[in-house]
Amino acid sequence: MKRLLLTVALAALAVPGTAFAQSNDAQLRAALEAAARGRPVPPHMSSHPAHGWIEFASLRRNLESLPGDQAQSFLARHEGQAVAESFRAEWLRALHKRQDWAGIRAAWSPEVTNTTLRCIELDARQRLGAADAAWDAQVQEIWRSSGDSLPDQCDGPFAALDARGALTPELRWERLELAAAEWNPGVMRVAARGLPAGQRTLAEDYAAFVQAPHERALNWPRTERSRLVASHGLAQLGRNDPDAAEARLPRYAQALEFDEAANGRVLYQIALWTVASYLPDSERRLNLVPASAYDERLHEWRVREGLSRGDWRATLAAIEKMGNTQRDSARWTWFEGRMHEKLGDMRQAARLFEKAATDATFHGFLAADRLGQPYALCPLDTPGDASSYARVANDPAMVRSMALFRADRPGWATREWAHALERFSDVQRQIAVKVAQDNGWFDRAVFGLGREPGETRLYALRFPLHYDAIIRAEAARNGLDPAWVAAKIRAESTFNPNARSPADARGLMQVLPSTGAAVARRNGIAWNGANSLYDPATNIRIGTAYMAQRRDQYGFPYIASAAYNAGPAPTARWREQRGHMDPDIWIETISYRETREYVARVMAFSVIYDWRLNDAAVPLSERMHGRTGEPSRPFACPAPAA
């Protein structure tokens, strides 16, 4: 009977609309706040599925003085749960501050992979006299794991490794080379400290060169290491001052006998940062980079450089130099077709458009428009039946995750979510996204789907519809396409009303408080301070008014979307430089990767939301120009290729 009651309680907790769930959400929120402040928690909360987190909130208040047996009891009682691992991480850090080496060993779990915690445990082992050959190997593994700075907690194990004679000159040079590749002279100097005197002098001169190239390097020994360090130092200079790097390269290349790899490393950075600013020397510098140094990033920029000049033959040649996987994407297939179209080869263009149009993406939709055919969309329903849904929803980790999310503890909820997904099958993982959406947690589709190619077709999960009535009403008030508004919300916050960015943008449409206040004042909208942006209705009303303002300013939704993301100054620069170009080319030549991808994403999302709202879509090529009264394009699932 007791087990049956627990199952009923878990099921109710998984359905946020029930009175039981709403009451428990409020009680859990209050209990977590009380525990965090050292206040009494109602006794009945000890039976709540998330009680471990209530206890965690209480224990973490006084980790400096927490008795070890109390901590070990908590870890034992919650073994195998996310809350135990969260507590263990904080407890180990506290024990390290207390220099409780035996306590660290008692609390340790071999499942821990975090570098800071690993160093804490390794420090404890050597202080307890347990350093051996296996210990040496583990510390050496961390030492050579990165050219970036490692946590301060690793300093003790590294010093002990050195004292044991196991931090060899070879290991120091290995880390120094890694740090040179990361352009990190500080780590290079740390690695150099234990080298023999003659080697240390050279190593420190290497670090000085990466920080600021100097002419002493012209007299370095002509070794592979000297070439590696010098090329990384000049590459760093190329990133910051391409002209200076190009002027200096020949002397160092001759003095140190650079090979193609060393030359390519420098020429790559010179070309990349020249073309990323669309400077006049872009084409020449791109052509200087050896083919062996090209990667997908530089291939893309070579295409953009040709597009920016309107040189269709050069652009086509740049696409043809891409690797097959990159070139076969809908994006570059579309532009390859566009270049053939620009050059008058309509037959080849049509063939490439046919290929691109099979993808439900920005460029795939554009290709379908060119051909006048339905958009390719093959939606899949969420898998599983009611019993499968119930099993996932009632999984203890999922119950805790959803309860914590509804109690405004998204970080802890995410830890429980990740813990659950480690055990789930692909189908269960997909059902879990549906469970999360039913609890108002919409971004789990972004983080929970994508492991399998077919999951992109779970459109109802990937493109949730919420606040539909508010979106339609505010879009109508401002003369906006509601699908565009929904797409903005999906791109900005994935329908999380409590989203907050590092820049302090808030709510569904990620409105900055300063922008919100100005828009509210201009449009006669009631303004109750920055926190009112967490109210969905307020946020959408202000956000759509701001979208309309940008639309009126720029004329076209795709340019307005760029301004929404990047701001007016960069957008004005891009319009001045290439405002005469076709929308797809203008978008592709936007300098900022984030904005370039954001605009294409929002435009594609608006097509999909038009389908979700209206079962058809205004053609994307019309939508980008703000023409939303055109006939709608249908959707169809293309037959698989024979």
Side-chain angles (χ1 to χ4, degrees), residues 71-82:
Q72 287 302 119
S73 172
F74 180 85
L75 289 170
R77 283 184 285 110
H78 298 284
E79 183 179 0
Q81 295 183 23

Side-chain angles (χ1 to χ4, degrees), residues 83-104:
V83 70
E85 298 315 307
S86 294
F87 175 76
R88 190 190 314 278
E90 296 195 20
W91 178 231
L92 287 168
R93 286 182 171 88
L95 290 170
H96 192 251
K97 289 182 180 178
R98 288 159 60 165
Q99 299 187 6
D100 184 346
W101 314 121
I104 290 169

Side-chain angles (χ1 to χ4, degrees), residues 234-247 266-289 294 297-298 301-302 304-306 308-309 573 577-578 589 591:
L234 290 170
Q236 160 81 322
L237 179 63
R239 184 182 190 278
N240 298 314
D241 189 343
D243 293 343
E246 185 175 35
V266 183
L267 292 169
Y268 176 100
Q269 295 294 337
I270 291 171
L272 177 63
W273 295 101
T274 300
V275 70
S277 299
Y278 294 107
L279 297 176
D281 251 356
S282 295
E283 182 184 16
R284 181 184 65 81
R285 285 175 172 170
L286 283 165
N287 289 334
L288 290 175
V289 180
Y294 265 80
R297 186 183 188 190
L298 200 60
W301 275 108
R302 181 153 58 179
R304 291 188 195 105
E305 192 278 331
S308 71
R309 291 186 292 108
R573 183 172 66 250
Q577 292 169 340
R578 294 176 295 281
T589 56
S591 302

Side-chain angles (χ1 to χ4, degrees), residues 6 10 13 24 27-36 39-60 70 73-74 77-78 81-84 87 396-397 399-404 407 409 412 416:
L6 177 60
L10 290 174
L13 275 170
N24 271 265
Q27 291 179 33
L28 176 58
R29 190 179 296 109
L32 289 168
E33 291 174 357
R39 297 174 181 171
V41 175
H44 73 272
M45 291 303 292
S46 62
S47 62
H48 193 284
H51 178 260
W53 290 98
I54 299 173
E55 191 176 354
F56 172 67
S58 176
L59 291 177
R60 70 198 303 232
Q70 191 175 347
S73 172
F74 180 85
R77 283 184 285 110
H78 298 284
Q81 295 183 23
V83 70
F87 175 76
V399 171
R400 292 190 293 267
S401 179
M402 298 304 109
L404 288 165
R409 293 295 190 280
W412 295 353
E416 289 283 9

